[in-house]
Amino acid sequence: FRRTLMYLRTEVLFYKVLLPDLKERGFCATPDILLADFDLNGLIDEDEKATDQSKPEPENWIAEGKGGHIIMEAIDNPYYQDSPIALDQAKETLSAVAGLHAAAWEDKELLIKADKWLSRGSYHLKTRNVKELAGMEQSWEHFRSNFGESDPALFDRCSDIGKRIKNLAEYISDEVSPGPTDRYATLSHGDFKAMNCFLPRESTDRGVILVDFASTGVGLGMSDVAMHIHHAIKAEDLANGGEEVLLNHYLDQLNTQLGPDKAYPKDVALRHYRLACADYFRFLLGRFWKSASPETFEKRKDSKNTVLMNRNLESALAFLDRVEKHVTEIEKERAACLA
């Protein structure tokens, strides 16, 4: 219940407090907001952090007369939503989120404000139930028992991936969680799946429209990119260079919008991407794969709002293969830091 309240508060405050500043900086890829407000007095404290896991659920709460509202422009034709999306569509969505990232890039004043009022991403370690991390090994063994025969060599290589990602979770989370005054910090959408993007059916100056800023906060742009690429795009499209095409497109769009005085170096960006992919895998394993089976994949196969790796085996295996390689690199990096 507390998490739901925080989602409500974060989205309203994004529209009320942050969006006007972002518009001044050139970001307009949202619906027009007519009214946004909330009253959660007595349910959560005004200065309560969404990422503060020590806060208990509200007790003896009375919700009558409490809540919030957002009245926004209706988005319909010529716009549509879909998932999965093709590479050309993904270029459009990544261009839109690059605009968000560029508008807030290393903007200390704006990001300090965001750090005070907003949250962290929907899959950020500090917003998740602690039981997910505690159960990593069991979640992996469950998934392996249900799907291991589909690719024995891959599952042998990943035999202890649950333990490995659990051991790395805090390190990875720290590395993908910049403070508001840190280098490369920006606003991360936080739940950047394809169904949170309205795509134009025809070419338009307005471009893609982004919605659902309930998990927005200070972070890395690559946390959005890593989630989006794997949530929304088929494994066959990412293979044979497709993933690299999208990463290069995002970086080109971002660096163009940043201008000559700021930059996101490719080597730094790709390191962040590897970390963000591993971070997203930790969430996927702890939240969804702990109960996944061929039957649940079949049941969800046409669910556009469900991450592909929890409804399409080819996508799940391709992601597992990619993440295991990233985890190996991160383990070497961490060992070098500790040496």
Side-chain angles (χ1 to χ4, degrees):
F1 177 68
R2 178 180 177 274
R3 183 183 297 171
T4 301
L5 297 179
M6 287 298 180
Y7 285 150
L8 165 62
R9 190 184 77 173
T10 296
E11 183 149 28
V12 169
L13 288 174
F14 172 80
Y15 289 132
K16 282 189 69 174
V17 179
L18 273 298
L19 186 56
D21 292 344
L22 291 168
K23 285 185 174 181
E24 290 181 0
R25 292 158 174 79
F27 175 71
C28 300
T30 70
D32 292 333
I33 306 302
L34 307 178
L35 188 65
D37 211 345
F38 65 85
D39 177 6
L40 301 176
N41 187 40
L43 299 178
I44 55 175
D45 295 334
E46 183 176 332
D47 59 352
E48 191 170 321
K49 286 273 192 178
T51 52
D52 187 352
Q53 294 177 318
S54 68
K55 292 289 186 179
E57 289 289 319
E59 294 183 2
N60 302 317
W61 52 274
I62 300 175
E64 185 176 354
K66 305 298 180 182
H69 50 266
I70 301 170
I71 302 174
M72 65 176 64
E73 167 195 10
I75 305 296
D76 51 18
N77 283 329
Y79 283 87
Y80 69 99
Q81 295 164 284
D82 202 5
S83 184
I85 55 177
L87 290 180
D88 284 345
Q89 295 169 308
K91 287 181 179 180
E92 294 183 66
T93 56
L94 289 169
S95 294
V97 85
L100 171 66
H101 299 158
W105 193 264
E106 296 177 348
D107 188 323
K108 294 179 182 179
E109 181 180 355
L110 184 146
L111 294 175
I112 288 171
K113 187 187 296 187
D115 191 54
K116 177 181 179 180
W117 292 114
L118 303 186
S119 182
R120 291 281 185 171
S122 60
Y123 67 94
H124 193 279
L125 184 63
K126 299 304 181 185
T127 67
R128 303 306 310 169
N129 190 317
V130 295
K131 293 179 181 179
E132 292 177 5
L133 184 61
M136 282 288 133
E137 293 99 329
Q138 293 87 345
S139 296
W140 170 245
E141 289 307 318
H142 172 87
F143 188 80
R144 186 181 185 185
S145 68
N146 276 276
F147 296 100
E149 293 183 0
S150 59
D151 190 336
L154 173 62
F155 278 84
D156 283 347
R157 175 158 60 89
C158 301
S159 60
D160 58 350
I161 194 71
K163 180 180 180 180
R164 293 166 68 191
I165 200 68
K166 181 179 180 179
N167 290 340
L168 287 171
E170 292 286 351
Y171 173 78
I172 292 171
S173 183
D174 288 345
E175 293 298 303
V176 298
S177 304
T181 62
D182 287 344
R183 203 171 179 194
Y184 310 120
T186 188
L187 272 185
S188 173
H189 179 281
D191 194 14
F192 191 46
K193 54 191 175 186
M195 292 299 285
N196 283 335
C197 305
F198 282 84
L199 291 143
R201 295 187 185 279
E202 300 173 356
S203 179
T204 170
D205 291 339
R206 190 174 186 185
V208 170
I209 298 173
L210 307 180
V211 296
D212 193 353
F213 291 87
S215 300
T216 299
V218 178
L220 293 177
M222 276 298 175
S223 291
D224 283 336
V225 175
M227 176 181 179
H228 192 69
I229 285 178
H230 295 99
H231 194 292
I233 298 149
K234 293 179 180 178
E236 62 198 62
D237 291 331
L238 293 178
N240 302 316
E243 181 184 22
E244 290 76 14
V245 165
L246 294 180
L247 288 171
N248 288 335
H249 175 81
Y250 166 79
L251 289 173
D252 287 345
Q253 290 290 307
L254 176 67
N255 282 312
T256 297
Q257 294 183 64
L258 287 177
D261 299 327
K262 297 179 181 179
Y264 198 12
K266 189 170 183 179
D267 60 333
V268 175
L270 293 182
R271 174 180 177 266
H272 288 166
Y273 178 72
R274 291 192 294 271
L275 288 160
C277 286
D279 197 38
Y280 190 50
F281 174 76
R282 181 263 312 152
F283 164 72
L284 179 74
L285 179 59
R287 175 67 180 87
F288 296 121
W289 280 5
K290 66 180 180 181
S291 58
S293 67
E295 292 74 23
T296 63
F297 270 44
E298 176 64 23
K299 181 179 179 180
R300 298 185 179 116
K301 67 179 182 180
D302 297 320
S303 173
K304 294 180 182 293
N305 216 33
T306 298
V307 55
L308 276 174
M309 290 90 72
N310 200 37
R311 62 186 175 104
N312 178 275
L313 184 58
E314 182 182 4
S315 293
L317 297 182
F319 186 53
L320 178 61
D321 176 57
R322 189 174 294 118
V323 163
E324 194 279 332
K325 295 172 184 174
H326 294 334
V327 167
T328 298
E329 289 297 313
I330 295 166
E331 286 171 333
K332 294 177 182 177
E333 173 186 307
R334 188 188 186 200
C337 292
L338 295 174

